[in-house]
Amino acid sequence: MKNKKMTKVLVGALLAGCVFGGWHYWQKDKLDPEYQKELDAIVKDRELSGSEIRKQRITEWYVNLQVPEKPPREKWDAVHQQPQIMFTMKMPKYGDLYTMNMNGTDVRLLVTQKELGGWVEVHGPSRPMRSPDGRYVTLTYRSRMFSYDCALYDLKTQEVTALGSGRCVSYHWMPDSRSVYFMNAELQRYDVVTKQLENVRPKANSELGDVSYSEHAGSYFISLEQDRLVQALSRKLKEKTPDEGTSILFRLSDMAYLGRKNYYDEACEAGQSYSLDRRSFTCANRRGPMNYYHIDAPAQVAGQSPQRWIIQEGKWFLSEEMRLITRYRQSDEDCPLSALNYYYQVAENSPGQGELIGGFSLYLPLHLREGFNQRDWRPFFPPLPTTVQYQESLQRQLKQLKEYGRG
């Protein structure tokens, strides 16, 4: 389906206390003209194209971003009412890092490529990660072709701290935002107060027996609630000692060795994909419906997830390519669509108009974390069309086609 305008998403709908933003999109039994245009295009694509594939796939809905010529700077302690999406785009300045509300409103500037000395990388495990308090952003940037460095950016002081050369991946911020763990050749920890960067290693290698930490420790898993660092062992060692556990465990706070254990599903030993609130995860490199697990019970299946990157269990997801947000129909919604994909594009009257935004990294503000899975984000988005509205559009278009054929 070609790119189309989406009816404006107004946060004011929520502030006015309206259920699911409905008043803005239909009043007195009449749909907003732009909403109706979008719905008609969806119905035409699904029902009248003659393609079963189009009918079965998740439908697209385009979110238009209003991007100022000079977007305002993000304040590190700003109080947001929605999860935030970090992203880059070609205009106004390629390589700068921006942030916006999850519904595509209020675009702000986080850091410029001029400040960093390179272009921010926003994809895969090296995508930016913001600290829980919102003050710091850890990221990888490209200073020149095939040359990468990682850094920490302080939104309060606008200072850049180098964290090393190469790509840094899998950032884990501590809840107090004082320190961050990440992988750069090996596991490291940076303390923002003491400004100390250190390698994270066991207190005593002698305790590990036949395990060589530098040779056998692979992908890592951190449980902040349980103060645990879990690292998968190499296949060679697992095959040599199959009965002794597939992972090695440490107490994260002091790296004391706790032994070997089958800590999680074998499929997760190659890595994990964490939910936005970091309380659940899926196994990395999986596609399609898959199991997901809770951090406090990593070996026990918590349920089925339709996608790998969970924003909110059973409701909202980040796509595999990290280019769009998927919303799934809830039990209280009367809609013939089982899900909706939100594509984000720059509006026609903004710099870089028509550009599709891709490569997302999400940030959940600290005050939104409590009870996150029970929060309802639907009021910030257009409501899903009802079955009656969908059928009205279909029948009207069928009638128009019939009348056109007569003419």
Side-chain angles (χ1 to χ4, degrees), residues 246-265:
T246 58
S247 301
I248 48 177
L249 277 67
F250 300 91
R251 189 165 52 235
L252 181 64
S253 53
D254 62 4
M255 284 301 289
Y257 180 57
L258 302 177
R260 287 178 64 172
K261 184 180 180 180
N262 295 327
Y263 191 78
Y264 38 48
D265 191 304

Side-chain angles (χ1 to χ4, degrees), residues 175-406:
D176 61 4
S177 299
R178 171 168 176 152
S179 58
V180 59
Y181 290 85
F182 60 93
M183 185 70 77
N184 182 15
E186 63 178 300
L187 187 60
Q188 295 183 304
R189 175 181 178 270
Y190 180 74
D191 189 306
V192 300
V193 177
T194 65
K195 300 188 183 303
Q196 294 295 310
L197 178 65
E198 61 181 0
N199 293 329
V200 179
R201 289 179 166 272
K203 296 181 66 174
N205 277 311
S206 59
E207 296 180 353
L208 304 183
D210 59 355
V211 177
S212 169
Y213 185 78
S214 60
E215 294 181 23
H216 298 141
S219 64
Y220 74 97
F221 174 94
I222 286 180
S223 174
L224 300 175
E225 292 82 357
Q226 298 179 326
D227 190 25
R228 293 290 183 269
L229 168 67
V230 183
Q231 291 196 266
L233 293 172
S234 66
R235 179 180 297 180
K236 182 178 180 180
L237 186 61
K238 286 187 292 186
E239 292 175 350
K240 181 180 178 182
T241 55
D243 300 325
E244 296 184 26
T246 58
S247 301
I248 48 177
L249 277 67
F250 300 91
R251 189 165 52 235
L252 181 64
S253 53
D254 62 4
M255 284 301 289
Y257 180 57
L258 302 177
R260 287 178 64 172
K261 184 180 180 180
N262 295 327
Y263 191 78
Y264 38 48
D265 191 304
E266 186 178 354
C268 288
E269 292 176 6
Q272 307 80 35
S273 301
Y274 294 88
S275 63
L276 181 56
D277 64 0
R278 312 289 286 192
R279 290 174 179 165
S280 60
F281 65 94
T282 60
C283 300
N285 304 320
R286 291 297 177 96
R287 289 178 178 267
M290 66 195 73
N291 294 332
Y292 73 91
Y293 310 81
H294 289 149
I295 290 289
D296 55 1
Q300 182 178 337
V301 176
Q304 277 275 302
S305 176
Q307 297 188 35
R308 178 156 68 113
W309 298 101
I310 300 171
I311 296 177
Q312 195 176 42
E313 292 175 14
K315 302 173 183 177
W316 297 85
F317 297 84
L318 177 63
S319 73
E320 187 70 27
E321 299 79 14
M322 302 180 183
R323 297 185 61 88
L324 56 93
I325 302 294
T326 305
R327 166 188 179 177
Y328 280 82
R329 181 184 61 209
Q330 301 304 298
S331 59
D332 61 351
E333 292 178 304
D334 171 29
C335 177
L337 308 175
S338 61
L340 205 60
N341 280 334
Y342 290 109
Y343 284 82
Y344 296 74
Q345 66 179 7
V346 180
E348 291 182 359
N349 58 345
S350 295
Q353 61 182 16
E355 178 190 350
L356 279 174
I357 303 302
F360 292 160
S361 184
L362 274 64
Y363 162 62
L364 182 63
L366 194 59
H367 69 280
L368 296 179
R369 292 177 182 243
E370 189 63 34
F372 176 72
N373 269 323
Q374 284 68 54
R375 293 180 182 269
D376 191 354
W377 305 113
R378 292 176 294 179
F380 293 103
F381 289 79
L384 297 180
T386 66
T387 300
V388 169
Q389 292 160 352
Y390 189 95
Q391 286 299 321
E392 184 281 327
S393 174
L394 175 59
Q395 295 305 317
R396 174 168 39 79
Q397 292 188 68
L398 286 172
K399 182 180 179 181
Q400 290 171 350
L401 286 173
K402 188 175 181 180
E403 291 175 349
Y404 179 79
R406 287 176 180 173

